[in-house]
Amino acid sequence: MIATVLTGACVLAGAGAALSAGLGLLRLPDLLSRMHAATKPQAVGLLMVLVAVGVRFPTGGVITTLLLVALLQLTTVPIAAHMVGRAAYRTGRVPRHLLYVDELDEALSPVPPGAGERPSGRGPDSGGEEPDAEH
Amino acid sequence: MSAVLGAAAALLGLAAALSLARLVRGPSMLDRAVALDVLVATMMAGLGVEAIAADDPWVLTTMLALSLVGFVGSVSIARFLVYRAPGAEEDA
């Protein structure tokens, strides 16, 4: 009985997280806000459904598969989000005037000559725009 | 229990339809990549609901495969976009 209630509650919570992500994808104005909404079903919603499946089938093989799915999901989703956010920033999809803190801008902008030494051994004008070309 | 599962399936279907709308409309390719990621996550949740409803966990292997390869699409889209010349419009 308790297992049935827990299964139903977890499934409904996961589906609700997925629905909130769908609404956020459609309603939110720019890419970073949509990425914020998109993380809900990828982490919380899917983990809720996995917990429900694990409660429903409490056998060793199923639990192992569910743990593997959760582990892979939680490691691959940040990679995709990182790559999308990086591409968005570098192609100018991120409206700069909406950001309160933009640490990447400071890190990527070239240091003017004579504006202070960098602690690393690189010259002051070698760290400018070209990290794009390498990766 | 079947009513709860039906409601969850309806919510998941609505979520998939909304992210599909963003996939069609999305002004840039990165919006489409994000929408595709959400669609894959929704499909995985739907597979879990299907496993509970059918009382048979055989679809968990499909969930495993999706969690392995689900991120490849958006990563490759993002990689190709960064290699574009700066100033080129990628809306297409």
Side-chain angles (χ1 to χ4, degrees):
Chain A
M1 179 60 196
I2 293 177
T4 308
V5 171
L6 189 59
T7 303
C10 284
V11 163
L12 275 186
L19 180 63
S20 75
L23 285 174
L25 270 184
L26 205 58
R27 298 283 301 169
L28 287 176
D30 62 351
L31 179 68
L32 291 189
S33 315
R34 286 173 196 149
M35 285 176 65
H36 153 73
T39 52
K40 268 67 196 175
Q42 287 176 335
V44 179
L46 192 65
L47 286 186
M48 284 288 181
V49 174
L50 292 184
V51 166
V53 175
V55 170
R56 179 65 189 78
F57 305 105
T59 63
V62 171
I63 299 288
T64 308
T65 310
L66 292 179
L67 283 179
L68 206 52
V69 169
L71 186 71
L72 286 170
Q73 183 77 6
L74 290 184
T75 49
T76 57
V77 159
I79 297 173
H82 165 76
M83 294 301 297
V84 169
R86 180 178 179 276
Y89 191 89
R90 290 180 184 244
T91 53
R93 287 281 162 195
V94 178
R96 307 288 173 93
H97 61 93
L98 290 180
L99 300 178
Y100 288 106
V101 180
D102 193 356
E103 293 176 337
L104 199 55
D105 188 34
E106 299 169 13
L108 286 181
S109 60
V111 177
E117 287 82 16
R118 288 198 166 185
S120 68
R122 303 160 71 191
D125 51 355
S126 70
E129 300 288 336
E130 87 269 7
D132 224 3
E134 297 284 344
H135 307 282
Chain B
M1 193 60 193
S2 65
V4 171
L5 290 180
L11 290 181
L12 286 174
L14 192 54
L18 289 174
S19 54
L20 205 59
R22 175 52 68 196
L23 189 67
V24 173
R25 284 173 55 181
S28 72
M29 282 307 289
L30 290 173
D31 291 297
R32 295 192 175 99
V34 173
L36 205 58
D37 277 351
V38 174
L39 198 60
V40 169
T42 310
M43 281 167 55
M44 290 172 67
L47 284 177
V49 173
E50 206 275 336
I52 296 175
D55 209 4
D56 187 2
W58 68 271
V59 289
L60 292 186
T61 321
T62 317
M63 287 176 79
L64 193 60
L66 274 182
S67 71
L68 264 174
V69 302
F71 76 117
V72 173
S74 57
V75 166
S76 44
I77 288 176
R79 295 298 295 192
F80 278 116
L81 273 187
V82 172
Y83 278 122
R84 283 266 180 114
E89 276 301 312
E90 78 269 22
D91 296 351

